[in-house]
Amino acid sequence: MNFKLFASCFLVSGAYRSLIADVQRQTYYLIPNALYIILKEEKNSSLASIMDKYSADDKSVIREYFDFLFANELIFWCNQSDLSNFPEISLDYKESSKITNAIVDIDTHSDHDFRKIFNNLDDLGCKSV
């Protein structure tokens, strides 16, 4: 069986420790950087294949890591052939406006037609000035 991180769980690397942000449940879990590396490098692998790469001393810690992940519903187990049934969440962002923000520079010599500027920005869907 292979592990799969739930699509709503995102890995964030830190300098001294990392975290798993569960955006669906609006919570996070601090994890050691070593676990972050395992989850990134061994993504969707079987626990057996991961264990084969580590010493006997490390295997009990890795088992504890995966017990923690499963108990907190951050991962689930599935067959290799089923992994394609669980796609990642798309992080693509599309804005409906032609521009999202604008800066109108003003000084003592400015003679702008503010009504025209703001109407044009409004026509473009600009949300922030």
Side-chain angles (χ1 to χ4, degrees), residues 51-123:
M51 295 288 209
D52 287 343
K53 298 176 182 175
Y54 292 91
S55 69
D57 294 336
D58 294 333
K59 288 180 183 183
S60 65
V61 174
I62 292 170
R63 175 45 95 177
E64 286 179 29
Y65 286 164
F66 278 86
D67 288 344
F68 165 81
L69 295 170
F70 186 73
N72 287 287
E73 297 179 327
L74 301 170
I75 64 167
F76 61 96
W77 301 101
C78 64
N79 293 320
Q80 175 72 32
S81 60
D82 294 331
L83 287 171
S84 63
N85 294 329
F86 304 103
E88 303 293 323
I89 292 176
S90 173
L91 297 177
D92 291 342
Y93 176 76
K94 296 182 182 171
E95 180 62 49
S96 61
S97 59
K98 293 185 181 182
I99 62 171
T100 59
N101 55 23
I103 296 173
V104 180
D105 197 11
I106 302 170
D107 67 15
T108 56
H109 303 292
S110 298
D111 187 24
H112 299 307
D113 182 351
F114 290 106
R115 179 168 295 163
K116 182 177 180 180
I117 291 171
F118 293 125
N119 285 338
N120 287 340
L121 289 172
D122 192 46
D123 290 343

Side-chain angles (χ1 to χ4, degrees), residues 11-12 16-20 29-36 39 68-69:
L11 295 170
V12 181
Y16 301 105
R17 59 185 171 177
S18 299
L19 67 82
I20 299 173
Y29 299 87
L30 295 171
I31 60 171
N33 284 342
L35 178 54
Y36 171 86
L39 293 173
F68 165 81
L69 295 170

Side-chain angles (χ1 to χ4, degrees), residues 23-39:
V23 296
Q24 182 176 357
R25 293 188 176 120
Q26 299 179 0
T27 189
Y28 64 91
Y29 299 87
L30 295 171
I31 60 171
N33 284 342
L35 178 54
Y36 171 86
I37 292 168
I38 292 170
L39 293 173

